[in-house]
Amino acid sequence: MAARAYWQGQIRLALVSIPVELYSATKSGAKISFRQIHEPSGKRIAYDKVVAGVGPVDRDEIVKGYELSKGNYVLLEDDEIEAVKVESKRTLELVQFVDAHEIDALYYEKPYYVVPRDELAEEAFIVLRDALRKAGKVGLGQLSVRGAEKLVALKPCGKGLLLETLRYADEVRKGQAFFGEIGDDEPDEDLLDLATSLIDKKTAPFDAGEFEDRYAQALRKLIDKKAKAKDGKRILEEVDEPASGAGGNVIDLMAALKKSVADEKGSAKSKTAKPAAGNKKTA
């Protein structure tokens, strides 16, 4: 099935408008979801829409309401909300350009691929893409979709563009509130050198394919094992937890770092060691 566009509209830069479509750049992975089950009957628990003093109600009797005061609501129909006129529902106007490093990672939410809607839009689309790339800038604007106006960043991505939704300033907590009690002491230089050496040893190009959701895999194994078990008994497995060494001293830290660096060196050597002559594979 072809991907469904998340949004259709136009990007506007001054007097230039470019018809585009947005597609989600991410998808759900191997996440395992559970249902709530009534154990005695084995049946799924349903959630009904219920009004106090009335009981269950039909979905077509439900409207949205904004609470002005306790128990006092302004009621709004879906078509009234949809009719609210906000220019950013159909147009993403690029109002500012910044260097990518100026946007803290805390502000990024979700990425979307941006493509020209048709061949007529392609020329202007390519000009915008390459101009952003040449300038080394990210475009900022606002986009209204699915009941919310989002702050967004636009940047080149291969032959296309990548749009990323951003959090507003009031949605981000300041780190100082959490980091304020951390001391200002400088670390021991030898410890710092060992830790830096360990980081260097483990440095490699990023490849998301090297990582897997091990928790989802373990849950899947548990589900398969439980499904095959005929008696339905509980299946519990012991998990090795890391030692909770509260307040380890500098000597312990030094020894741990030295051993970590040594282990990493040994691991690197074993990976690069050539196979013995008798173990060579034949074509």
Side-chain angles (χ1 to χ4, degrees), residues 217-227 235-237:
Q217 292 176 349
L219 271 181
R220 173 58 61 190
K221 288 181 181 178
L222 172 61
I223 291 169
D224 291 343
K225 189 183 294 185
K226 187 96 176 187
I235 300 174
L236 299 177
E237 297 180 359

Side-chain angles (χ1 to χ4, degrees), residues 35-38 41-47:
R35 307 296 185 190
Q36 291 193 320
I37 305 299
H38 180 238
S41 66
K43 295 182 178 180
R44 181 178 170 182
I45 295 174
Y47 293 89

